[in-house]
Amino acid sequence: MPIPSAAFFGSLRQPCVALLLAAVIGWPLIGQAQTSTTDDDDLPVAEIQAFSEVFERIKRAYVEDVDDATLLKNAMRGMLSELDPHSAYLDADAYRDLEESTQGEFGGIGIEIGMENGQLIVVTPIDDTPAQRAGLHARDTILRIDQTPTDGMGLQEAVDLMRGEPGSSIELTILGAGDGTPRTVTLTRELIRTESVKSEMLEPGYGYLRISQFQARTGDQAVDALEELSEDAPLSGLVLDLRNNPGGVLQAAVDVADAFLSSGLIVYTEGRLPDSRMRFSATSRTAAPNVPLVILINGGSASAAEIVAGALQDQRRGVVMGTESFGKGSVQQIMPLGNGEGLKLTTALYYTPNGRSIQAQGIEPDVEVVRGQLKISQNNGVRGVREADLEGHLGNGKPSDQAKRSELLTKDYQVGEALNLLKALNVLGQRNAG
């Protein structure tokens, strides 16, 4: 590699820039022994010199004085943010935010955000949070946060603006997917305690397991929920709801998939470094190995949620229903720096057991069912009088299953369709067995 001349280093009038280039890029300082290198190691000297000139001109001519540390940190933020939407420079506050989201408690509005075509978008609102109650949906575009336009705003800056003390208010200007006119919503921040696993019975024999994100203990919580659902009797079917799940901890996703698989590959990763190439397989210890399964996904299902859906789909363990998932199939590794800060750097891509890349493609459902709401018309014909309508009619000694139906079935069209599919699968299974 050509070594810059003393004149070049002399043009770097800010000593910290010369030291930075020497320490980080690996150039020896003037006076040190020079070692031979190959042409493949050549660095773009012209661009490095341009960087030093920009640095010096900012120091000399910018309207306000800016210290060297701030300029260098901003340069590092820009260097990472231009790689992809998920790589980032993490200062001490960002480290804390990352830990809070993993543990499941923070002050904010309960929203996962991302970048698409340079615009700040909603990946998904978290269940039972101000963002969900305000009607925000996956792929909504956030145009303003309070009075600050988001054009050109970085992800971390947006997170910092949206998080805050519980009880404080925030105003978002939102452009919904397919809408022509933006709308403004005012939200009140809350202490967001995200319970990642919820469960209930839809009907006798048919369970519902909702995973809103993958936190450190999500795998254990999912297994506990499955055991509780099947406590009275074996399940005839289960709806696994991964809609609007932004992802989270990789190991938690592997544990959830493992709860339904007794063998086989779950996910593998491919990257440039040896330690970024990993394979995760199911173990024989399985909480629900034979329960008929429908997995619900949508455009807000991302990352770890796509890993679970892709693994169960490739292993033919269940039917994936809903709409195409988000397509976030990259692996971010947290790399600590010596100053207590760090990098979140994309180091690999996820692949399903059959070798499908999730990145920018997502998971295609086996059965497409769009979001909707079931409405029963009151004027679609008069139902004839039945025995059950007659006063004093005799019962059959059996409780009504209708009374045991979950209210979710009347509010959520996709869940209702998933239940119908499970029933159909059971009917076919019984006929084939007979």
Side-chain angles (χ1 to χ4, degrees):
M1 172 178 69
I3 303 300
S5 65
F8 174 70
F9 271 110
S11 71
L12 300 176
R13 295 170 188 168
Q14 300 298 328
C16 66
V17 178
L19 292 173
L20 175 72
L21 295 176
V24 175
I25 298 177
W27 285 342
L29 291 172
I30 300 306
Q32 291 183 340
Q34 299 180 6
T35 58
S36 61
T37 59
T38 66
D39 291 341
D40 291 340
D41 294 326
D42 287 354
L43 288 167
V45 174
E47 284 73 15
I48 297 296
Q49 186 169 11
F51 172 82
S52 70
E53 291 174 358
V54 169
F55 188 97
E56 183 177 352
R57 292 190 184 191
I58 293 173
K59 289 291 296 181
R60 184 175 65 246
Y62 185 64
V63 64
E64 297 178 351
D65 183 53
V66 186
D67 62 86
D68 293 346
T70 298
L71 286 176
L72 291 173
K73 283 188 176 182
N74 288 342
M76 289 185 284
R77 287 190 181 96
M79 182 164 52
L80 285 156
S81 66
E82 288 297 315
L83 294 175
D84 63 76
H86 308 291
S87 295
Y89 180 85
L90 302 174
D91 58 21
D93 290 338
Y95 255 128
R96 185 193 65 246
D97 292 343
L98 185 63
E99 182 178 6
E100 287 175 349
S101 62
T102 301
Q103 297 303 319
E105 182 175 301
F106 57 91
I109 61 174
I111 190 173
E112 180 81 10
I113 58 174
M115 298 294 294
E116 190 172 271
N117 299 323
Q119 293 183 309
L120 189 67
I121 66 164
V122 176
V123 173
T124 182
I126 299 171
D127 288 354
D128 299 325
T129 62
Q132 187 200 48
R133 293 193 290 270
L136 272 63
H137 299 294
R139 298 196 179 277
D140 285 353
T141 301
I142 304 174
L143 302 178
R144 285 178 176 268
I145 302 174
D146 288 325
Q147 299 304 312
T148 305
T150 60
D151 188 30
M153 182 181 292
L155 277 177
Q156 189 55 50
E157 183 182 357
V159 170
D160 292 342
L161 288 174
M162 285 191 282
R163 290 193 175 183
E165 289 297 319
S168 60
S169 63
I170 179 174
E171 185 179 88
L172 299 181
T173 303
I174 303 292
L175 179 63
D179 293 345
T181 305
R183 71 184 191 277
T184 300
V185 294
T186 301
L187 305 93
T188 301
R189 295 183 180 92
E190 297 178 0
L191 183 60
I192 307 297
R193 293 188 179 93
T194 54
E195 296 294 334
S196 63
V197 177
K198 296 179 181 179
S199 62
E200 63 175 282
M201 296 299 295
L202 297 174
E203 278 187 5
Y206 293 92
Y208 172 81
L209 182 65
R210 163 71 180 159
I211 301 179
S212 58
Q213 60 181 310
F214 289 92
Q215 299 171 354
R217 294 194 63 252
T218 297
D220 293 335
Q221 292 170 355
V223 170
D224 291 343
L226 288 169
E227 292 176 350
E228 184 177 343
L229 287 170
S230 58
E231 187 174 12
D232 295 333
L235 289 172
S236 299
L238 179 77
V239 177
L240 175 61
D241 189 353
L242 301 178
R243 294 173 301 173
N244 294 329
N245 182 320
V249 179
L250 170 61
Q251 187 59 52
V254 172
D255 291 343
V256 168
D258 195 10
F260 301 100
L261 297 169
S262 56
S263 64
L265 187 63
I266 292 174
V267 66
Y268 68 94
T269 64
E270 290 287 348
R272 292 173 60 200
L273 299 178
D275 62 358
S276 66
R277 301 166 195 153
M278 301 178 289
R279 297 176 69 86
F280 297 88
S281 297
T283 64
S284 57
R285 184 181 178 184
T286 303
N290 300 313
V291 177
L293 185 64
V294 170
I295 305 102
L296 286 178
I297 63 170
N298 66 1
S301 306
S303 192
E306 294 173 294
I307 288 172
V308 174
L312 297 177
Q313 187 179 52
D314 280 6
Q315 297 280 18
R316 298 183 180 276
R317 178 59 187 83
V319 178
V320 177
M321 176 182 282
T323 56
E324 185 179 3
S325 65
F326 186 80
K328 195 266 183 186
S330 57
V331 184
Q332 281 71 49
Q333 184 175 348
I334 307 304
M335 300 179 176
L337 300 175
N339 60 356
E341 300 176 342
L343 310 180
K344 183 172 71 169
L345 186 65
T346 299
T347 58
L349 296 178
Y350 292 120
Y351 294 87
T352 70
N354 288 350
R356 292 183 294 160
S357 173
I358 297 170
Q359 179 61 26
Q361 295 185 33
I363 300 297
E364 290 277 355
D366 300 307
V367 180
E368 184 175 13
V369 178
V370 299
R371 186 182 66 196
Q373 185 173 3
L374 182 63
K375 293 185 178 180
I376 301 175
S377 174
Q378 300 298 321
N379 300 307
N380 61 344
V382 179
R383 179 175 67 88
V385 177
R386 303 174 61 198
E387 172 71 16
D389 299 322
L390 299 177
E391 185 176 354
H393 71 272
L394 296 175
N396 61 9
K398 297 181 180 179
S400 171
D401 286 345
Q402 188 67 28
K404 298 180 181 179
R405 287 173 60 88
S406 167
E407 292 185 5
L408 189 61
L409 295 172
T410 62
K411 298 177 180 178
D412 195 318
Y413 176 71
Q414 290 174 315
V415 173
E417 288 299 288
L419 177 61
N420 289 336
L421 179 56
L422 285 172
K423 290 181 177 180
L425 292 173
N426 273 324
V427 170
L428 289 175
Q430 291 167 5
R431 290 179 178 173
N432 291 335

